[in-house]
Amino acid sequence: MEIRKVQITGGSSYIVSLPKQWIKSTKIQKNDPVGLIAQPDGSLLITPKIDGESVHRDRVFEVGAATDRTFLLRLLVGAYVSGFTTIRLESKGRLPPFVRQLVREFTQMAIGQEVVGETDSSITLKDLLNPAEMPFENTIKRMHVLARGMQQDAMTALREHDAALAEDVVMRDTEVDRLHWLVARQYNLIHTDVTLSRRMGIPVNQAAYYFQVSRIVERIGDHATRVAQNALALIDREADSTTLNLMDEASTLALDIFSRSMEAFHTGDIRKANATLQAVRDLEDTTREVNAQVLRFEAVAAIPLGQIADSVRRIGEYSGDICECVINYIVGQEA
């Protein structure tokens, strides 16, 4: 940190000299305007960007026949989440066919990514989505609806031995993932682009809060997927009604905790968040009883039933984590 003294000029104007190295790196010339943005913590942000233009960042990946498909997909997701505006894949020769297929799959998974340029040896992807048009709260609300529906359908598939419904739940997890990637992307963009933070009216600490809750909801979706996968393992096996009823009771309680935690999140109600946390203990008691029940079954059925009970418990516990996030954030905002 550089320390500079405030000076007075003309009897009423306060001035502070700017670091020469920063002036050179931003290519600011004499008489160029700069933007001054007061931050919630009392600090002052100085930026050369005053026209509201977004920051453009490019990322290039070299690919070839030996490139690992899964690794390349992870690179694309990483570049997307990190907030790069343009992603380009380049090859020294002709692009392998699997690269073009992978790019098509990626554009279907990542919101706002489109192919804007293509040659025999390269593909260029560009983000066409205006982040300011996708509010964090709306995205997280959609994630909640999806994850809740997935868990409800997974339990229905378990009780009714519906393999098609269970497989559909597994497929829907991709939708939850892509929405979480969008939240993560916007969070990273706000970190690197102060103009976006101003346009969205969301300070960095609030964006971090949204990202944290989004990550938890995404994990709840993962556990709903796990319930569906274990339901598939039990398609040809019968479980007694007592165990299924107890499992349904636990799932209903977990989803109630989930919904109440999201209500506390959207309203900023720390009392509701605190009350909801108390219900997690009741869920733990119920899932403990389920685990005692499943021990009576053969291992081939007891293992997936035990994993379902564990996922139901984790859904409730993750919902409790949302409540803790709400309390921590709201208390931190209070003056």
Side-chain angles (χ1 to χ4, degrees), residues 3 49 52 82 87 101 122 137 140 200 208 231 240 252-253 324:
I3 308 297
K49 298 183 177 296
S82 296
I87 306 171
Q101 180 185 359
S122 70
E137 285 207 29
I140 295 173
M200 294 185 73
D240 68 84
T252 299
L253 179 55
E324 291 178 350

Side-chain angles (χ1 to χ4, degrees), residues 86-274:
T86 304
I87 306 171
R88 190 165 64 256
L89 304 180
E90 295 181 348
S91 175
K92 292 182 179 179
R94 192 178 186 86
L95 279 173
F98 84 87
V99 174
R100 299 183 188 278
Q101 180 185 359
L102 182 63
V103 167
R104 285 195 297 271
E105 293 174 9
F106 173 69
T107 55
Q108 293 172 358
M109 295 165 64
I111 298 172
Q113 295 293 292
E114 295 292 340
V115 175
V116 295
E118 188 170 356
T119 67
D120 288 344
S121 59
S122 70
I123 294 180
T124 302
L125 295 163
K126 189 171 184 180
D127 178 42
L128 302 181
L129 179 71
N130 179 0
E133 295 177 354
M134 295 291 290
F136 282 102
E137 285 207 29
N138 289 359
T139 304
I140 295 173
K141 189 177 293 184
R142 174 62 179 157
M143 291 176 66
H144 167 226
V145 171
L146 283 169
R148 180 182 173 83
M150 287 166 62
Q151 175 60 18
Q152 289 173 326
D153 287 347
M155 293 303 295
T156 300
L158 172 65
R159 180 177 283 279
E160 299 180 2
H161 302 275
D162 191 336
L165 183 58
E167 289 169 353
D168 181 63
V169 170
V170 174
M171 293 291 291
R172 273 182 268 166
D173 187 48
T174 301
E175 181 67 17
V176 178
D177 288 343
R178 70 199 293 262
L179 289 171
H180 173 61
W181 292 348
L182 176 61
V183 173
R185 176 180 176 81
Q186 290 174 306
Y187 165 63
N188 285 318
L189 282 171
I190 282 177
H191 263 279
T192 57
D193 185 357
V194 67
T195 63
L196 176 60
S197 175
R198 192 168 71 254
R199 292 201 308 274
M200 294 185 73
I202 296 175
V204 174
N205 68 322
Q206 188 175 1
Y209 170 53
Y210 287 141
F211 170 70
Q212 197 173 18
V213 172
S214 170
R215 181 64 179 130
I216 295 171
V217 176
E218 189 267 337
R219 287 174 176 169
I220 289 173
D222 287 343
H223 277 286
T225 302
R226 190 179 176 214
V227 171
Q229 290 169 335
N230 281 291
L232 285 169
L234 293 165
I235 287 297
D236 299 323
R237 297 188 174 276
E238 289 291 339
D240 68 84
S241 59
T242 302
T243 302
L244 288 178
N245 289 339
L246 199 57
M247 197 82 79
D248 278 334
E249 181 185 336
S251 179
T252 299
L253 179 55
L255 289 178
D256 180 59
I257 295 170
F258 185 25
S259 292
R260 286 160 60 188
S261 72
M262 293 307 295
E263 287 173 11
F265 163 70
H266 289 297
T267 61
D269 189 336
I270 60 175
R271 293 189 182 279
K272 180 184 283 291
N274 183 62

Side-chain angles (χ1 to χ4, degrees), residues 47-59:
T47 174
K49 298 183 177 296
I50 62 171
D51 53 9
E53 245 183 67
S54 298
V55 174
H56 291 276
R57 300 167 64 211
D58 298 339
R59 191 70 166 88

